[in-house]
Amino acid sequence: MDKPEQQDHVDRLKAQWARELPDLDTSPMEILGRIYRLSRLVTPTIEATFASHGLDRGEFDVVGTLRRSGPPYRLTPTELYRSLMIASGSLTHRLGRLEKAGLIRRVPSENDGRSLAVQLTEEGIYRAEAAFRRDMANEADAIASFDPEKKRQLAALLRELNLAVEARLAMPAGEATET
């Protein structure tokens, strides 16, 4: 075990569980527990950044998705729904709030005259970009003291882990194999 000054929150939790349930392998906490902890630590800053631009996290997800889609910053509700992986009712509610705020408008679909696409307004483009730029600056600042080579290594390992977990969770129940 590392020296106490080198232990983080997860090390302390893991030690407590090891004392209480010594037969249980708690090593997954070393990875997933730290990812969860890091997410919880940065979430308030991310949400405050979006709020300073008049957006909540879900609204930013919509305007950010539209903004990164490229000109003309327009997607069908189905494309948005699939990209965001949320319930259709949640999307409808978000779109209503964003339209009322003047950040999106509904325009006739180029492919289907019976439906409406969702398009960012000029203000929506501005706010999505401003919020994202500020968020990236905050995130860069949070990891600024971390060695650049270690950042690259960690990013590669996390990508590999993400792909493995996505593949594992996409398997139909009962088809998972022990490795």
Side-chain angles (χ1 to χ4, degrees), residues 22-63:
D23 63 310
L24 183 63
D25 176 14
T26 58
S27 62
M29 290 176 67
E30 294 175 309
I31 297 168
L32 297 177
R34 284 190 174 96
I35 292 168
Y36 178 72
R37 173 89 171 145
L38 287 167
S39 177
R40 301 247 343 202
L41 288 170
V42 300
T43 292
T45 302
I46 292 168
E47 290 175 349
T49 296
F50 295 155
S52 74
H53 290 87
L55 300 164
D56 66 25
R57 193 172 190 153
E59 292 165 342
F60 176 78
D61 286 346
V62 173
V63 297

Side-chain angles (χ1 to χ4, degrees), residues 171-177:
M171 295 176 80
E175 290 186 25
T177 59

Side-chain angles (χ1 to χ4, degrees), residues 74-76 79 107-117:
R74 178 188 309 149
L75 295 171
T76 66
E79 290 168 325
V107 296
S109 173
E110 294 175 352
N111 301 326
D112 180 0
R114 299 170 294 153
S115 64
L116 296 176

Side-chain angles (χ1 to χ4, degrees), residues 10-169:
V10 174
D11 289 324
R12 291 185 292 276
L13 295 178
K14 192 173 180 307
Q16 290 171 334
W17 280 116
R19 183 188 68 235
E20 296 300 315
L21 300 173
D23 63 310
L24 183 63
D25 176 14
T26 58
S27 62
M29 290 176 67
E30 294 175 309
I31 297 168
L32 297 177
R34 284 190 174 96
I35 292 168
Y36 178 72
R37 173 89 171 145
L38 287 167
S39 177
R40 301 247 343 202
L41 288 170
V42 300
T43 292
T45 302
I46 292 168
E47 290 175 349
T49 296
F50 295 155
S52 74
H53 290 87
L55 300 164
D56 66 25
R57 193 172 190 153
E59 292 165 342
F60 176 78
D61 286 346
V62 173
V63 297
T65 299
L66 289 165
R67 175 63 180 88
R68 73 174 186 265
S69 73
Y73 312 113
R74 178 188 309 149
L75 295 171
T76 66
T78 300
E79 290 168 325
L80 273 171
Y81 170 76
R82 286 184 183 143
S83 178
L84 297 169
M85 297 185 305
I86 59 172
S88 60
S90 295
L91 178 60
T92 301
H93 185 66
R94 289 179 193 176
L95 293 178
R97 290 191 320 253
L98 291 166
E99 190 169 34
K100 187 175 180 178
L103 302 180
I104 64 161
R105 65 176 163 261
R106 309 212 194 194
V107 296
S109 173
E110 294 175 352
N111 301 326
D112 180 0
R114 299 170 294 153
S115 64
L116 296 176
V118 179
Q119 183 172 358
L120 281 177
T121 62
E122 288 299 318
E123 179 64 16
I125 293 168
Y126 169 78
R127 280 216 228 155
E129 185 173 325
F132 187 65
R133 286 181 181 279
R134 182 74 241 149
D135 180 48
M136 287 297 95
N138 289 341
E139 291 185 28
D141 186 55
I143 62 172
S145 65
F146 204 56
D147 177 74
E149 180 55 29
K150 286 184 179 181
K151 285 182 207 177
R152 284 189 284 283
Q153 291 171 355
L154 181 58
L157 289 170
L158 288 171
R159 178 184 306 108
E160 188 177 334
L161 177 62
N162 191 53
L163 290 168
V165 170
E166 285 178 350
R168 178 95 174 171
L169 295 178

